Amino acid sequence: MTKDEKIVVADMTKSMVKPRNILLTLKEHNDNNYTTIKQIYNVRHAYRSSIRGSNIKMQQLMMLLDRHQYIHWHRLKDDNVVRDLFWSHPDAVKLINSCDLVFLIDSTYKTNRYKLSLHDTVGVTPTGMTFSAGFAYLEGERFNNVVWAVEWFRVKTVFLDATNLLCQFHIDKNVKAKCKTLVA
C-alpha cells in the first residue's frame, strides 16, 4: 500500500467510513490496486495506535471523556486498575435536570474483552422519547457496584422503593445455571 493510500485510509477512518467502503474507494481510484481488506484493517489499527501513543486504551478513554467534557467518575482497585467507570454526556445531564423523567436501568453481562458489565441508564421523557442518560463499566453486577453507579447518577433513593421489572429470559437462565451447580 502506498503512502498516499495510507493517508486516504487514515482520513476515511477519521470520518467513520467502514473498511469495506474504504477498500472500494481505493479500488475505484486505481484499477491496478490489489489491496485487501486485511491491509485496510492493519492500516486503521496502526493509525489508531499512533493517535493513542503510549496511552493504554483505558487512559485513552479517560482522556477523550475529559476532552469532550463528559461527566465521569471512576474508582480504582490496586491503585492503578480501573474497577468501575461511570460517564454521561453533558447534554444528557441537562435533559435529566430539566424535568421529571422515568429511568430504565439494564446491564449486560461481561460481553466485552475486559469482562466488565456495561450498565446502561436510559431516560424516558414526558413525551415518550428515550435517550441515553448514562453508562458505567462495572467490575461485577454485585449490589455495591450497581449502587455506586446509581449514586453517581445522582438518584436520591437507591432501589429502596423502586418497582422492579425482571426479564424472564435472564431469570430462567440464572435458575438453570444455579440448578446445574447444585445437581452436579
Side-chain angles (χ1 to χ4, degrees), residues 51-117:
I51 288 175
R52 194 172 64 237
S54 63
N55 290 344
I56 60 172
K57 290 180 182 179
M58 186 59 77
Q59 290 171 327
Q60 182 72 11
L61 173 60
M62 301 290 270
M63 184 197 69
L64 291 173
L65 291 172
D66 282 334
R67 180 187 301 162
H68 297 290
Q69 300 175 345
Y70 276 68
I71 288 61
H72 62 94
W73 297 275
H74 66 278
R75 62 182 179 175
L76 302 174
K77 78 175 176 187
D78 302 332
D79 296 327
N80 62 354
V81 176
V82 174
R83 176 178 165 189
D84 299 315
L85 171 66
F86 173 85
W87 72 95
S88 183
H89 191 276
D91 291 341
V93 173
K94 289 177 189 173
L95 187 55
I96 290 165
N97 293 322
S98 68
C99 57
D100 290 329
L101 302 168
V102 173
F103 294 100
L104 307 170
I105 300 171
D106 189 22
S107 289
T108 61
Y109 183 69
K110 299 181 181 181
T111 57
N112 53 52
R113 73 172 60 169
Y114 306 108
K115 303 295 184 210
L116 296 172
S117 297

Side-chain angles (χ1 to χ4, degrees), residues 8-179:
V8 169
V9 172
D11 289 341
M12 293 181 83
T13 299
K14 279 190 250 180
S15 300
M16 307 296 285
V17 177
K18 294 179 180 177
R20 67 173 183 244
N21 293 338
I22 295 172
L23 182 61
L24 288 173
T25 301
L26 291 176
K27 291 192 182 267
E28 284 175 1
H29 285 93
N30 182 0
D31 291 335
N32 296 326
N33 186 313
Y34 297 106
T35 304
T36 65
I37 195 72
K38 177 68 174 163
Q39 290 172 307
I40 300 293
Y41 283 121
N42 290 342
V43 171
R44 286 167 50 101
H45 177 73
Y47 167 71
R48 289 186 176 135
S49 294
S50 71
I51 288 175
R52 194 172 64 237
S54 63
N55 290 344
I56 60 172
K57 290 180 182 179
M58 186 59 77
Q59 290 171 327
Q60 182 72 11
L61 173 60
M62 301 290 270
M63 184 197 69
L64 291 173
L65 291 172
D66 282 334
R67 180 187 301 162
H68 297 290
Q69 300 175 345
Y70 276 68
I71 288 61
H72 62 94
W73 297 275
H74 66 278
R75 62 182 179 175
L76 302 174
K77 78 175 176 187
D78 302 332
D79 296 327
N80 62 354
V81 176
V82 174
R83 176 178 165 189
D84 299 315
L85 171 66
F86 173 85
W87 72 95
S88 183
H89 191 276
D91 291 341
V93 173
K94 289 177 189 173
L95 187 55
I96 290 165
N97 293 322
S98 68
C99 57
D100 290 329
L101 302 168
V102 173
F103 294 100
L104 307 170
I105 300 171
D106 189 22
S107 289
T108 61
Y109 183 69
K110 299 181 181 181
T111 57
N112 53 52
R113 73 172 60 169
Y114 306 108
K115 303 295 184 210
L116 296 172
S117 297
L118 176 64
H119 175 88
D120 183 16
T121 304
V122 176
V124 182
T125 66
T127 60
M129 299 296 292
T130 60
F131 66 99
S132 295
F135 299 93
Y137 276 129
L138 302 175
E139 183 181 41
E141 288 185 328
R142 291 182 297 280
F143 185 75
N144 68 335
N145 297 95
V146 176
V147 167
W148 178 85
V150 172
E151 283 175 349
W152 279 114
F153 187 65
R154 307 274 187 211
V155 174
K156 293 181 181 170
T157 308
V158 182
F159 301 129
L160 299 179
D161 296 321
T163 302
N164 293 314
L165 300 175
L166 301 174
C167 175
Q168 189 65 42
F169 170 78
H170 288 99
I171 292 171
D172 291 343
K173 183 178 171 186
N174 290 338
V175 168
K176 286 177 186 176
K178 188 68 173 178
C179 288

